[in-house]
Amino acid sequence: MKLTCQKSDLLNGVNTVLKAVSTRTTLPILECILLQATTDGFKLISNDLELGIESNVQATIEETGTVALKARIFSEIVKKLPDNDVHITVDEKSYTTIKCEKSKFNISGQSGEEFLQLPNVPKENGILISQFKLREMIRQTIFSIALEEIRPILTGELIEFKDNELNMVSLDVHRVSIRKMDFESALQNMVVVVPGKTLSEISKILDADDEKDVQIYFSDKHILFELEDSIIVSRLLEGDFPKYEQFFSKDYDTLVKINKQELFMSIDRAALISRESKKNPIKMTIKDNSMIITSNTELGDVYEEIDIEKEGNPLEIAFNPKYFMDALKVIDDDYIHLQFTNPHSPCMILPEDGDDYKYLIVPIRIRA
Amino acid sequence: MKLTCQKSDLLNGVNTVLKAVSTRTTLPILECILLQATTDGFKLISNDLELGIESNVQATIEETGTVALKARIFSEIVKKLPDNDVHITVDEKSYTTIKCEKSKFNISGQSGEEFLQLPNVPKENGILISQFKLREMIRQTIFSIALEEIRPILTGELIEFKDNELNMVSLDVHRVSIRKMDFESALQNMVVVVPGKTLSEISKILDADDEKDVQIYFSDKHILFELEDSIIVSRLLEGDFPKYEQFFSKDYDTLVKINKQELFMSIDRAALISRESKKNPIKMTIKDNSMIITSNTELGDVYEEIDIEKEGNPLEIAFNPKYFMDALKVIDDDYIHLQFTNPHSPCMILPEDGDDYKYLIVPIRIRA
């Protein structure tokens, strides 16, 4: 292999593929980045068996070839090279030379024969979606995936195409998060569950620019994201995702309209007193025109009052403040609706109008 | 105690005094901030026995009084209060109420009787110095204080007034750092050793604005820094600081003029290869018009070349790259001078002109 590329292009590529390099593994080849120069161009490839990334790097190729280099040392060298032409040559023993201005590195590589190529996903079942919108939908749901692996399916997010809508859903035993958007596509009644780690890495690669799109393809076992200069392939999670709609009821006895930021700030302060012990939740007392938030522990006590508009019954109910704050943090609206039934039933957080999002939070029982 | 102050003023004060609050201590009172409202005004005080800080907070005092509050919960409450008037009241049992808009906290305090007042430093032996200049001198020397407590005196920095100069010196077994400035004062041949922790905390409080000064007073055992709204008192380290001038020789056999940034970048890259093991230093080969930096380990090898101007003999010498980079990082000059004698004697880093700084670095022996 013999090629020349720009340091900045090479660094972009390396930073992208680094997201699928294993750091803790018993298979040393998974700690490598594959450099592949063919007549089609120069590519970097990484694959940790769950997630695989290919990134194209603009290069002038004099000799094609392949080498697998330890990701850590290769990425650190690239990061610190001067901002200029980088010359990479690899000999038949995979001995690799990286030259830039008056700087020259020699490191040993591997032939790359052991390197696992990315799974093949046929470009059949596909959609096109704005990178910005996908990133927003991930941000607004990913916080409530389950972290424990007791039910592996819950460590992923449901992506569902139904009735010309795209739904993303995550849930654990304490809460459910749903984001919806109108979305016409040929994929009807299609459901996949994508690992949380994949969504978290992909959202770092997605552009904040609303003009750019990402093409997504689905196969039975994989999902493929196609961006301008890179391809990300992830395995899907197998198993049955809970029927999430069953957790939501259409009835409620108390409806509250409240300023989202005021509610967040008040819970954030009340959590200073409550957090010392999980047995000390925050208590919400819903009156005609105000919500009172209190907490009382060995640290002291706190009293917060917020103006609200209320329909229905007054109520006392208690929550783990973290679950409320996680949801409020990702909502962009100024005012939200809260729906309650009784002190033992979940609270639903909804927009004033429409159904772009729905968050459900299970309360904590308090003694009378 | 009963008073009203602005949240932003209170938060500034809290952030300042937090720097002298113990986090790991067997004396619970050291984890507190003392709130002291007297006819002179409202003050926050902290004291971890090595460092003590007093900060004045603008307040309207209705009733004088004193209370010691746990620093962690008090500072977190203040940080999260709305940006408005804060009302603090303390009853005779030190029960403390903090109110701001519709938010109210009650926390238990202590009377503050046990709280250790700051040591008294008479305002006799004093100097006035620019906050910016003092901050720069600390930044340019503090990195080479000794971290181990084998010789406690080396965990501090020497501050010396001599021949109308102010010198700051730090050293460990591998290196010496000296910053000098012209400084006329009545204090002649005065020497103190200030704990590194004190200098590191004070430099966070000092203003980057060159217009503002800090007044410094010295007593036998303490140093006091007086700023606009706060006072910082630290104990001094006792013992004999090494006679640092003895380490520097005026003779040299090789003088190199080199671009500081190029040298830093080359060593930074070479360190990627050398750092795996302390037994693998970087080697500098000084030729007539160039310096070659190399390193060679199981990771691979690196070759860096930098244009230089040289007087005297060629030389091969090896260093721990970290010690060189630490010094180069804090030097603002574009070009520097390096003085060498032989492969076993320290290298000196000096400015092209003048003697504002001197850094000495001990080499690592290499086999012939």
Side-chain angles (χ1 to χ4, degrees), chain A residues 105-359:
Chain A
F105 284 87
N106 294 309
I107 54 176
S108 306
Q110 296 171 60
S111 71
E113 278 166 26
E114 292 175 70
F115 200 90
L116 292 142
Q117 293 291 331
L118 303 200
N120 182 40
V121 177
K123 298 196 173 168
E124 290 161 8
N125 292 314
I127 60 155
L128 192 72
I129 185 171
S130 137
Q131 294 193 30
F132 171 75
K133 279 189 186 136
L134 178 61
R135 209 170 78 149
E136 282 296 286
M137 288 187 81
I138 296 172
R139 179 178 72 88
Q140 290 170 333
T141 46
I142 197 162
F143 61 89
S144 63
I145 59 169
L147 299 175
E148 317 84 39
E149 303 247 342
I150 304 171
R151 288 186 64 189
I153 193 82
L154 299 187
T155 63
E157 273 199 54
L158 183 87
I159 300 182
E160 179 181 47
F161 298 88
K162 196 168 82 175
D163 308 331
N164 285 325
E165 283 184 332
L166 165 57
N167 298 328
M168 288 185 66
V169 184
S170 72
L171 60 89
D172 64 17
V173 292
H174 307 291
R175 50 199 172 153
V176 184
S177 305
I178 304 183
R179 273 285 277 123
K180 250 183 217 304
M181 68 182 274
D182 292 336
F183 195 84
E184 286 190 32
S185 85
L187 308 176
Q188 281 307 320
N189 294 316
M190 206 196 69
V191 168
V192 296
V193 182
V194 184
K197 190 197 165 224
T198 298
L199 294 174
S200 142
E201 296 300 349
I202 190 96
S203 73
K204 290 176 204 155
I205 297 173
L206 293 172
D207 214 291
D209 181 352
D210 202 10
E211 303 287 294
K212 291 194 183 166
D213 289 331
V214 51
Q215 185 85 41
I216 307 180
Y217 297 99
F218 302 90
S219 70
D220 278 358
K221 302 215 179 264
H222 293 96
I223 182 169
L224 182 149
F225 300 84
E226 190 172 75
L227 294 153
E228 207 171 341
D229 293 320
S230 46
I231 286 173
I232 297 105
V233 184
S234 165
R235 69 176 180 83
L236 295 170
L237 292 177
E238 291 178 46
D240 289 327
F241 199 83
K243 305 242 171 297
Y244 62 91
E245 282 291 358
Q246 78 191 14
F247 302 119
F248 292 87
S249 95
K250 296 228 159 150
D251 302 328
Y252 56 87
D253 293 322
T254 309
L255 175 70
V256 169
K257 177 182 165 185
I258 193 163
N259 179 293
K260 196 251 339 183
Q261 192 56 14
E262 283 183 27
L263 179 59
F264 178 84
M265 301 295 276
S266 288
I267 297 177
D268 192 23
R269 282 190 294 268
L272 292 176
I273 294 294
S274 82
R275 59 121 187 247
E276 287 297 299
S277 150
K278 286 186 186 166
K279 286 175 191 147
N280 295 303
I282 56 158
K283 194 168 84 180
M284 290 181 179
T285 304
I286 296 158
K287 301 185 176 178
D288 278 346
N289 302 307
S290 65
M291 178 190 284
I292 313 297
I293 296 174
T294 52
S295 187
N296 187 338
T297 69
E298 70 285 2
L299 267 181
D301 57 74
V302 56
Y303 175 99
E304 297 277 339
E305 191 176 332
I306 310 167
D307 293 339
I308 61 169
E309 286 173 31
K310 189 205 75 167
E311 284 172 26
N313 302 332
L315 184 79
E316 280 199 6
I317 188 166
F319 293 98
N320 178 327
K322 180 184 184 309
Y323 300 142
F324 245 93
M325 285 160 69
D326 281 349
L328 296 175
K329 242 182 241 171
V330 300
I331 296 177
D332 298 325
D333 294 347
D334 291 338
Y335 283 86
I336 51 172
H337 276 178
L338 306 177
Q339 289 180 3
F340 303 90
T341 310
N342 62 53
H344 312 302
S345 302
C347 166
M348 272 169 59
I349 306 176
L350 303 160
E352 268 196 280
D353 303 303
D355 61 352
D356 280 359
Y357 55 83
K358 269 201 280 194
Y359 297 100

Side-chain angles (χ1 to χ4, degrees), chain B residues 20-207:
Chain B
V21 173
S22 278
T23 46
R24 287 169 300 171
T25 172
T26 46
L27 259 177
I29 192 74
L30 300 187
E31 294 167 7
C32 289
I33 293 176
L34 190 76
L35 283 69
Q36 196 175 59
T38 65
T39 48
D40 285 346
F42 178 41
K43 265 183 196 168
L44 304 176
I45 309 175
S46 61
N47 187 354
D48 71 5
L49 302 185
E50 178 158 293
L51 190 66
I53 306 183
E54 255 183 44
S55 187
N56 297 309
V57 179
Q58 189 73 40
T60 310
I61 299 172
E62 280 183 60
E63 267 178 52
T64 60
T66 298
V67 68
L69 299 175
K70 288 282 178 205
R72 205 187 62 149
I73 185 75
F74 179 59
S75 64
E76 287 180 344
I77 290 172
V78 172
K79 204 178 297 170
K80 296 198 166 169
L81 286 177
D83 203 2
N84 209 329
D85 284 350
V86 180
H87 307 277
I88 301 177
T89 52
V90 182
D91 73 10
E92 63 284 357
K93 286 178 177 161
S94 299
Y95 196 68
T96 304
T97 301
I98 303 162
K99 266 169 86 170
C100 184
E101 292 183 1
K102 288 180 172 180
S103 175
K104 188 171 104 178
F105 284 87
N106 295 309
I107 54 176
S108 306
Q110 295 171 62
S111 71
E113 278 167 25
E114 292 175 68
F115 200 90
L116 292 143
Q117 292 290 329
L118 303 199
N120 182 39
V121 177
K123 297 198 173 166
E124 289 162 7
N125 292 314
I127 60 155
L128 192 72
I129 185 171
S130 138
Q131 294 193 29
F132 171 75
K133 278 189 185 136
L134 178 60
R135 208 170 79 148
E136 282 296 285
M137 288 187 82
I138 295 172
R139 179 179 71 89
Q140 291 170 331
T141 47
I142 198 162
F143 62 88
S144 63
I145 60 168
L147 299 176
E148 316 84 42
E149 301 247 343
I150 304 170
R151 288 186 65 189
I153 193 82
L154 298 187
T155 64
E157 273 199 53
L158 183 88
I159 301 182
E160 177 182 48
F161 298 90
K162 196 168 85 176
D163 307 332
N164 285 325
E165 282 184 333
L166 164 58
N167 298 327
M168 289 185 65
V169 184
S170 72
L171 60 90
D172 64 17
V173 292
H174 306 290
R175 50 203 173 152
V176 184
S177 304
I178 304 182
R179 272 286 275 123
K180 250 183 215 306
M181 69 181 275
D182 292 335
F183 195 84
E184 287 190 31
S185 85
L187 308 175
Q188 280 308 317
N189 294 315
M190 206 196 70
V191 169
V192 296
V193 182
V194 184
K197 190 199 164 221
T198 298
L199 294 174
S200 142
E201 296 299 350
I202 189 96
S203 72
K204 291 176 205 157
I205 298 173
L206 293 172
D207 213 291

Side-chain angles (χ1 to χ4, degrees), chain B residues 277-291:
Chain B
S277 150
K278 285 188 184 163
K279 284 176 192 146
N280 295 304
I282 56 157
K283 195 167 84 179
M284 290 180 178
T285 306
I286 296 158
K287 300 184 175 179
D288 277 345
N289 302 308
S290 65
M291 177 190 283

